[in-house]
Amino acid sequence: MHLRFLPLLLALGVMTLPVRADLRAEATESLRRGVAFFTTLNVHGGYGYAATPDNAQRWGESPLGPAEVEVQPPGTPAVGESLLRVWQVTGDDVALAGARAAAAALIRGQNRHGGWDHTIDFSDLTNETVSFDDNQTQAAIGFLLKLNREIDDPALAAAVERSIAMMIATQLPNGGWPHRYPAGGDYHDYATFNDGGINDCVAVMILARRLYPDDGDGGIDRSLRQVARFMMISQLPPPQPGWAQQYNEYLQPAWARTFEPPAVCPAVTVRNLETLIDLWLELGDETLLEPIPDSLRWLRESRLPNGKWARFVEIGTGKALYYDRGRVRVDSVTELHPERRTGYGYETDLSGHLAAVTARFEAALELGRKGLRARENTALAESDERTRARLEVTVRRIIADQEASGAWISREDRFKKVMPRGVRWNGEYEQMDRVRSAVFNRNVALLCDYLELTR
């Protein structure tokens, strides 16, 4: 079990906490009611990011049509995984039915290439785009893989096979994956790390390799070795041994959108170090750890005076780069249009991520593959009274925040005002009571963690 939301609370070891039967019963009932309500918000089995409690208005990255659902997390695949986990932990048949319905929605929306765009519109299923942006296609495959391991469904098995074949077919000759497929003759064709594109591709192929260790012709293994090589050769040279957001066919950092210049990118670099460790754990190639020390040094040295890291660092000079639409370069975040200043993360605090990947790398050197795998895959946790108290406070808060209907409602939820087509966002927000998929997914994960930890 991977305790995604409790890494600072729990140390690996043997579970010694006394079971609180009353709170376990309340947590189980909370999950049952939460699932019973949330599944009423489905459209053809799928979900968006948010909806009004009566499901009359629905949103993804923008307002959704009446027959439209989101593939991008925290939408349909992420909700499907939450429902699957509830069934695995509690045996709730409503949760399993919801997970199967979410899978059916994805299968129906799977295009002829075997992948997905960021939304599915059930009134028009002609979309042929495979998007690797923002964990869209990858999240869909990951959920279907996990459900396919649990149930016998020929349509599900066939969709999984098609999706893995698609992952192999869309991999670029250099070993990376593009932003989108099929090729369109623009930056979407480039090998893209931005928003975790290639990283999420690696993660889903590792999952496929573990669930399907013999894929016939060794295509999954070969694909992972190809992307491992790409990550090694795409690292930029000293004194800036990081990675760019995207690379053209000549392995050069390249422009994407007009505010995304070719540059060294600290956030991309941190994610890539995690992925290199993942690939090392999976493939056993010791050379995959070799780029990490130089990159860690560069990351520490490239921190801005305000304690954050620039999204883009100019190649050669090391200066922070800030671009608005139209390739308009400015000198600071404050000079950017509100659309860019608040919606893109030109400066971010990577200190926590940097500390985590540094600790993981040091553990890799100390423990080796077997030891690190054992530590990261341990299903139980050791804790003390203080940690138990924190866990119980969190669970009780989740239960207290739940409505009688079973909904977790974000009161006066604040979100960007939708502008007319062609008009840039002007900095205005709207507020409305909404039920958010991200909140549902988070609460489900925490409640399931608690039930598993106190079993």
Side-chain angles (χ1 to χ4, degrees):
M1 176 184 62
H2 178 44
L3 304 178
R4 291 172 294 171
F5 296 95
L6 303 173
L8 301 180
L9 296 178
L10 303 171
L12 296 168
V14 179
M15 183 66 199
T16 58
L17 292 182
V19 174
R20 294 291 300 272
D22 56 340
L23 189 54
R24 280 183 55 82
E26 290 180 44
T28 302
E29 176 62 12
S30 176
L31 283 170
R32 186 197 66 76
R33 293 192 298 117
V35 165
F37 173 82
F38 198 85
T39 50
T40 67
L41 303 180
N42 85 85
V43 171
H44 297 285
Y47 300 85
Y49 294 173
T52 52
D54 62 2
N55 213 24
Q57 296 184 65
R58 302 167 54 253
W59 295 263
E61 287 197 331
S62 57
L64 293 171
E68 194 175 12
V69 301
E70 275 282 355
V71 177
Q72 180 173 311
T76 304
V79 172
E81 284 208 29
S82 293
L83 295 169
L84 175 61
R85 189 168 180 211
V86 172
W87 173 71
Q88 290 170 328
V89 173
T90 70
D92 183 353
D93 288 337
V94 174
L96 179 59
R100 296 186 74 141
L106 291 171
I107 293 168
R108 188 177 168 197
Q110 188 177 28
N111 62 39
R112 68 181 180 88
H113 301 295
W116 294 264
D117 204 351
H118 79 93
T119 62
I120 299 169
D121 187 346
F122 292 102
S123 67
D124 180 6
L125 293 172
T126 60
N127 192 323
E128 299 297 337
T129 299
V130 176
S131 175
F132 297 109
D133 187 32
D134 286 320
N135 200 19
Q136 291 160 8
T137 285
Q138 304 94 312
I141 299 171
F143 165 53
L144 296 181
L145 280 166
K146 293 171 186 175
L147 183 62
N148 190 49
R149 179 178 56 181
E150 299 286 350
I151 67 173
D152 183 13
D153 182 333
L156 174 59
V160 167
E161 289 183 12
R162 289 185 63 220
S163 66
I164 296 303
M166 177 276 301
M167 290 296 300
I168 293 170
T170 57
Q171 193 169 14
L172 297 169
N174 61 22
W177 273 275
H179 193 235
R180 292 182 190 166
Y181 179 88
D186 57 13
Y187 72 86
H188 295 296
D189 302 345
Y190 295 160
T192 302
F193 288 114
N194 186 26
D195 293 324
I198 290 173
N199 311 85
D200 293 326
C201 288
V202 171
V204 80
M205 293 303 276
I206 288 175
L207 178 63
R209 187 177 190 260
R210 291 177 180 174
L211 297 181
Y212 299 90
D214 179 11
D215 64 321
D217 64 355
I220 296 174
D221 188 81
R222 186 164 57 250
S223 172
L224 284 170
R225 295 188 185 280
Q226 288 173 345
V227 71
R229 178 179 181 274
F230 172 73
M231 295 192 69
M232 297 288 283
I233 65 176
S234 60
Q235 185 186 27
L236 297 171
Q240 295 173 301
W243 281 264
Q245 283 196 165
Q246 54 275 324
Y247 293 80
N248 65 22
E249 60 269 37
Y250 304 108
L251 213 64
Q252 298 167 322
W255 279 95
R257 290 173 290 186
T258 59
F259 50 87
E260 296 176 317
V264 200
C265 300
V268 165
T269 299
V270 170
R271 283 195 299 267
N272 284 3
L273 299 185
E274 288 282 7
T275 297
L276 284 172
I277 297 173
D278 292 340
L279 284 164
W280 167 72
L281 284 171
E282 193 65 21
L283 302 175
D285 183 351
E286 298 290 334
T287 63
L288 292 170
L289 299 181
E290 292 177 1
I292 295 177
D294 263 2
S295 290
L296 290 174
R297 174 195 53 76
W298 175 74
L299 285 165
R300 290 190 293 266
E301 293 173 354
S302 61
R303 195 171 191 174
L304 296 171
N306 64 5
K308 297 182 178 181
W309 279 261
R311 183 171 188 132
F312 300 112
V313 177
E314 190 169 33
I315 296 172
T317 69
K319 294 180 180 177
L321 294 174
Y322 307 95
Y323 275 87
D324 215 324
R325 291 186 184 271
R327 297 195 185 185
V328 176
R329 184 172 177 178
V330 298
D331 293 327
S332 69
V333 169
T334 57
E335 296 178 40
L336 291 166
H337 187 278
E339 176 201 39
R340 295 294 94 215
R341 186 169 64 248
T342 61
Y344 194 65
Y346 269 98
E347 292 180 359
T348 53
D349 184 0
L350 300 176
S351 55
H353 292 155
L354 180 56
V357 74
T358 300
R360 193 177 183 217
F361 174 63
E362 291 171 351
L365 297 180
E366 178 185 352
L367 302 174
R369 286 177 72 214
K370 185 176 180 181
L372 186 58
R373 268 182 167 173
R375 194 176 82 171
E376 293 187 344
N377 293 337
T378 300
L380 301 177
E382 182 180 55
S383 186
D384 55 20
E385 288 295 320
R386 228 174 7 177
T387 301
R388 186 193 69 179
R390 291 172 185 166
L391 276 170
E392 291 184 351
V393 166
T394 301
V395 169
R396 291 188 187 281
R397 184 182 304 119
I398 290 170
I399 295 170
D401 288 343
Q402 192 172 28
E403 305 290 320
S405 65
W408 287 289
I409 298 177
S410 298
R411 299 292 181 186
E412 293 298 308
D413 192 28
R414 189 168 180 260
F415 55 100
K416 286 184 177 181
K417 182 178 180 180
V418 178
M419 307 301 293
R421 182 178 291 275
V423 178
R424 295 185 74 177
W425 180 64
N426 60 3
E428 292 186 47
Y429 288 86
E430 295 184 78
Q431 287 186 303
M432 191 180 301
D433 289 353
R434 303 198 300 175
V435 179
R436 296 173 54 208
S437 296
V439 172
F440 174 78
N441 295 335
R442 183 195 66 208
N443 289 350
V444 162
L446 286 164
L447 290 169
C448 287
D449 283 348
Y450 176 75
L451 290 175
E452 289 189 326
L453 288 166
T454 57
R455 180 172 292 162

